[in-house]
Amino acid sequence: MSLFQQTDEKLIQKALNGNQSAWRKLVARYEKCVYQYALRMTSNPDDALDLMQDTFISVCRSLKEFRGDSGFKTWVLRIAHFRCIEFYRRRKWFADESELQTITMPEEQSCPELAFGQQQSQAQLMELMKRL
């Protein structure tokens, strides 16, 4: 983070006070990571864009509920994860485990923080899809 870059906490507070520039900075800071996650989960650029938009709409609506128990990025990606689950519920799409395991992005395009939880997230998503 550069010397002049504002922290997430400051941007969140400003956004909650109606500062649209602060909101745009938050979105710009995390949109690529959210898009890459959604693309990895759907393998479709258009669906990934829709999921990214849905994620940030949810983040905007829930911003006042962000408590700071985890990092803002973690919170945003958790919302993105739930939007992906809802996406599959709406589509009533069922995949077997071998299809789900092939949905990956090249290493240089993924967020390093997501690599750690990728297998666990896929297993959780597969389990939820089986329950549908």
Side-chain angles (χ1 to χ4, degrees):
M1 186 176 294
S2 77
L3 182 61
F4 299 108
Q5 190 174 14
Q6 296 183 53
T7 65
D8 288 346
E9 292 77 19
K10 286 183 181 180
L11 290 173
I12 291 166
Q13 194 57 47
K14 287 180 178 183
L16 287 171
N17 290 328
N19 185 322
Q20 294 205 4
S21 175
W23 170 248
R24 285 191 296 273
K25 287 177 185 176
L26 282 170
V27 171
R29 192 173 284 179
Y30 297 109
E31 67 184 345
K32 182 178 179 182
C33 192
V34 170
Y35 174 78
Q36 292 296 332
Y37 179 75
L39 184 60
R40 190 171 60 246
M41 297 305 289
T42 64
S43 295
N44 183 304
D46 293 330
D47 290 337
L49 281 172
D50 289 345
L51 284 165
M52 183 181 71
Q53 181 178 4
D54 289 346
T55 297
F56 283 108
I57 289 170
S58 295
V59 168
C60 182
R61 289 180 179 157
S62 304
L63 193 58
K64 63 184 172 291
E65 298 169 22
F66 176 67
R67 299 182 312 236
D69 295 341
S70 64
F72 184 68
K73 182 178 186 177
T74 303
W75 186 69
V76 169
L77 290 172
R78 187 105 175 116
I79 291 172
H81 179 73
F82 288 123
R83 295 295 82 82
C84 288
I85 291 170
E86 289 174 357
F87 168 80
Y88 285 112
R89 283 185 181 153
R90 284 192 309 265
R91 293 271 175 110
K92 296 188 190 284
W93 181 79
F94 294 93
D96 64 31
E97 291 179 31
S98 65
E99 289 174 331
L100 188 60
Q101 290 172 354
T102 62
I103 301 175
T104 58
M105 291 299 298
E107 238 358 89
E108 67 275 359
Q109 292 182 354
S110 65
C111 293
E113 293 84 1
L114 293 177
F116 177 75
Q118 180 180 5
Q119 286 183 325
Q120 186 177 23
S121 293
Q122 287 179 347
Q124 290 172 341
L125 183 59
M126 194 67 225
E127 186 60 36
L128 287 169
M129 290 174 21
K130 286 179 183 179
R131 291 182 196 170
L132 292 176

